Amino acid sequence: MSRPLLFLDVDGPLNPYAAKPEKRPDGYTTLRVPQDSGTPEEHGELSRRRRPLRVWLKPEHGRDLLQLDYELCWATTWMADANRWIAPALGLPELPFVDFGDALFQDRPDGVHWKTAPLVEYANGRPFAWVDDEQSDLDQAYVTAHHRARGLLHHVNPRIGLREYDFWTLADFARSLGTSQANG
Ligand SMILES: [Mg+2]
């Protein structure tokens, strides 16, 4: 049986961008990404456009993600840039990413997040977990209605980022699918 997909957002789960700006969270390193590299500016301000984007990353997260029994996949506005900037800092290999195309940042009238339909389409009936800081009940309802397999929408607080509890939850979900034989 193939492993479930783990759709990974960057800003929020891996980069706790909403944490107090004057203090870098424990265990995190600071990455400064040039803004003129084409990197999307999800949470920046126009007036700061030319300043490097500050990204906090916890190298341990790479190891913890690789130990999960999932196939990792970027689900982030960084898209291909996640492999250029984020993966190396976390010790992750180059990963597939969801290309959001015209859906990128396009709010929907029904309130469903613009990532949700492309993720369901990408999964194409495969079980998945989606780690993000922006899902709502509308997204859960959309997944329930449109996805033929199980889908876990796991919310992460962008002031805190991924914690041990989140990894337990993800491991439990994979185990509940009966696909965790290789784990541990
Ligand atoms: Mg986010």
Side-chain angles (χ1 to χ4, degrees):
M1 193 186 300
S2 69
R3 298 190 296 177
L5 289 159
L6 180 54
F7 290 131
L8 267 178
D9 182 29
V10 169
D11 294 306
L14 293 173
N15 169 30
Y17 63 87
K20 286 201 171 75
E22 61 274 15
K23 186 180 181 303
R24 183 175 65 196
D26 288 342
Y28 283 76
T29 58
T30 303
L31 186 69
R32 296 194 189 277
V33 179
Q35 294 277 16
D36 53 5
S37 67
T39 301
E41 195 179 5
E42 188 173 6
H43 305 288
E45 298 167 24
L46 285 175
S47 61
R48 295 180 176 179
R49 210 177 184 88
R50 293 292 162 194
R51 298 178 61 188
L53 183 65
R54 185 212 63 204
V55 180
W56 282 324
L57 294 172
K58 191 174 194 175
E60 282 175 23
H61 280 162
R63 180 204 63 197
D64 294 341
L65 286 166
L66 289 171
Q67 284 178 352
L68 290 170
D69 199 10
Y70 284 87
E71 190 175 306
L72 305 177
C73 179
W74 297 118
T76 165
T77 54
W78 290 71
M79 295 204 284
D81 281 331
N83 281 325
R84 179 177 176 193
W85 296 102
I86 310 299
L90 296 178
L92 291 172
E94 187 170 325
L95 300 176
F97 66 92
V98 179
D99 186 343
F100 291 106
D102 292 341
L104 191 67
F105 293 126
Q106 294 305 307
D107 286 336
R108 293 167 51 118
D110 61 5
V112 173
H113 197 281
W114 54 263
K115 285 184 185 176
T116 310
L119 295 185
V120 167
E121 188 181 341
Y122 187 99
N124 192 24
R126 248 176 107 177
F128 69 79
W130 172 23
V131 172
D132 205 294
D133 60 314
E134 293 186 353
Q135 315 102 327
S136 73
D137 291 345
L138 292 170
D139 301 300
Q140 184 64 68
Y142 183 95
V143 169
T144 302
H146 294 91
H147 184 52
R148 298 189 300 280
R150 287 178 61 198
L152 173 72
L153 275 58
H154 186 70
H155 187 268
V156 175
N157 186 328
R159 283 176 294 155
I160 297 168
L162 279 168
R163 293 177 291 181
E164 204 173 8
Y165 155 80
D166 301 295
F167 288 96
W168 292 339
T169 304
L170 292 167
D172 281 348
F173 180 71
R175 213 172 288 125
S176 77
L177 297 168
T179 58
S180 60
Q181 303 92 321
N183 206 5

